[in-house]
Structures are given as C-alpha cells and as structure tokens.
Amino acid sequence: MAKYPAELADAFRKVVEGEVRFDTYSKILYSTDASVWQIEPIGAVIPKHAGDVVETVKLAARHRVPVLPRGGATSLSGQTVGEAIHIDFAKYMNQILEINEEEHWVRVQPGVVQDQLSRYLKPYGFQFGPATSSASRATLGGMIGNNSAGSHSILWGKTMDHVLELKVVLADGSEAWFRPVENGMLESLSKGDGLEARLYRDSLALGAK
Ligand SMILES: Cc1cc2nc3c(=O)[nH]c(=O)nc-3n(C[C@H](O)[C@H](O)[C@H](O)COP(=O)(O)OP(=O)(O)OC[C@H]3O[C@@H](n4cnc5c(N)ncnc54)[C@H](O)[C@@H]3O)c2cc1C
C-alpha cells in the first residue's frame, strides 16, 4: 500500500496558487542538494506567496506529511534532502520588500539570494555581513536555517547576529512573528492554547532549568 494518499497532489493544487510538482522528473531534481545524499521527495510545492506556505503546511499537517523548506539547496550535509513535501522558496519568493536607511534594516522574502541583496545594498553603502562562499546561490532563508558564516564573520558576525525579526509559519500552519521579547512579556505570550504560546511556555521551562 502506498505510504501517502494518491490524491495528495490534487489536494495541494486545490489550495496553492503556486506550482505543485509530483512528477518523476521533478522528484529527481529535488532529490539532491550540494551534499552526497539522494532521497526521493514525496513532491514539491513552489509557493508564490506566504499564503501558499500557510496552506501547504496546514494541509501537510492534516495529512501528517513532513515538509522540508528549500532555498538554494547548497547545504553540504543533506539538510534539503528528505522524504517530504519540499517547499521551494527560491523561484518566486525572492523579493526585497523594504529598506530603512535610517535604522539600517531591510525586509526580504526568504528566497532572496545573498549576492542579489549585496547588489541592492551597495548604492546605500551597506552590506549583509556574513559573506558565504556560496553567496551567488545561497538564500537568506537557507542562511538563517544554517546560521551561515563566511570569511568576514569574525569581524561582522554570523547570520544570527543580523536577523532582527522573522515572520514564520509554524508546524500547524499558524503564523507568528519572532522578535526580541521585552522583560515581562514572556508570561503573557505563553498563555493560550496555540502552538506559539506552547513554544514560549517550553522556552520558559527550559530557561528555568
Ligand atoms: C561551494 C560551497 C561553499 C560554501 N561556503 C559556505 C560558507 O562560506 N559559509 C557557510 O556558512 N556555508 C557555506 N556553504 C554551505 C551553504 O551554501 C550555506 O550554508 C548557505 O547559506 C545555504 O543557503 P541555501 O539557500 O542554499 O540553503 P538550503 O541549503 O536551501 O537550506 C539550508 C537550511 O535552511 C532551511 N531553509 C531554507 N529556506 C528556509 C525557509 N524559507 N524557512 C525555513 N527554513 C529554511 C532548509 O530546510 C535547510 O535546513 C557552502 C556550500 C557550497 C556548496
């Protein structure tokens, strides 16, 4: 018996505006990254916007199917290889959305490539510190996933030193903003039944140990 229902691809097509690929050719393409590993995925979703990501994760959670986000797939240890629904952020979700010159920050979609960001920032006299050797392919989403570093990191820090806040989709498809939390706010954030509140509760419990 097949492990996942045959109608899974159509279920994703009903809720996603982007591409849904379950054909053999695509599965072979998504079965590798820059590592030596090769595992056939269940399929791939190429979201056009955050709403597609939410719907993909919600549907996957309902069917208890794993998901695997993917940027440039330049990871060397098989991070983007696995039997899962791959969510490919590089093709469409690659826009630089906003820059604040005064406060020195930029808001980007996860599929923005590091060199693309560097070219955009150059006229402003800014750059994103951690210069990976794979900057022509590495995406900001993947850099955050790996906490990537580079030749200048000893001076300018790793990726985690430059992330101010993140809008994320949690495992149940709910959305959350993660940003520094001020003293006293953790208590109120940890109240409630949602997954986000549970994460804050678990963080508090870990901190207490
Ligand atoms: C030739 C070469 C040189 C390299 N040099 C360096 C280097 O100098 N420094 C360095 O740190 N690394 C280096 N790497 C490793 C790799 O290129 C970097 O870690 C890179 O930043 C990964 O980016 P990516 O977009 O390819 O991420 P991916 O490989 O696509 O993903 C990396 C991780 O992030 C997760 N992820 C991706 N997008 C998202 C998202 N939107 N939401 C949630 N999770 C997400 C993935 O699931 C995976 O776990 C190198 C690799 C190669 C092949």
Side-chain angles (χ1 to χ4, degrees), residues 30-65:
Y30 283 102
S31 67
T32 57
D33 57 8
S35 71
V36 296
W37 309 109
Q38 185 168 18
I39 300 173
E40 190 178 301
I42 301 164
V45 170
I46 314 180
K48 288 220 161 143
H49 44 69
D52 274 354
V53 183
V54 169
E55 294 304 327
T56 300
V57 176
K58 269 188 190 163
L59 190 66
R62 209 175 306 142
H63 287 277
R64 302 194 62 77
V65 176

Side-chain angles (χ1 to χ4, degrees), residues 19-119:
E19 296 174 41
V20 176
R21 297 190 186 177
F22 277 61
D23 59 289
T24 307
Y25 179 74
S26 299
K27 284 190 197 177
I28 290 170
L29 284 180
Y30 283 102
S31 67
T32 57
D33 57 8
S35 71
V36 296
W37 309 109
Q38 185 168 18
I39 300 173
E40 190 178 301
I42 301 164
V45 170
I46 314 180
K48 288 220 161 143
H49 44 69
D52 274 354
V53 183
V54 169
E55 294 304 327
T56 300
V57 176
K58 269 188 190 163
L59 190 66
R62 209 175 306 142
H63 287 277
R64 302 194 62 77
V65 176
V67 294
L68 181 58
R70 183 181 173 107
T74 63
S75 285
L76 296 164
S77 315
Q79 288 96 314
T80 54
V81 171
E83 192 185 5
I85 302 289
H86 290 213
I87 307 178
D88 180 351
F89 287 91
K91 186 167 180 184
Y92 299 116
M93 293 189 65
N94 54 18
Q95 301 300 306
I96 297 168
L97 302 172
E98 186 184 2
I99 183 164
N100 188 318
E101 280 187 77
E102 222 167 89
E103 296 176 11
H104 294 199
W105 56 257
V106 67
R107 192 162 61 88
V108 301
Q109 290 186 317
V112 165
V113 170
Q114 191 181 1
D115 274 355
Q116 173 193 356
L117 181 61
S118 300
R119 280 194 298 275

Side-chain angles (χ1 to χ4, degrees), residues 74 112-119 128-140 143 148-150:
T74 63
V112 165
V113 170
Q114 191 181 1
D115 274 355
Q116 173 193 356
L117 181 61
S118 300
R119 280 194 298 275
F128 187 73
T132 63
S133 312
S134 51
S136 65
R137 300 288 183 279
T139 63
L140 270 294
M143 291 179 73
S148 299

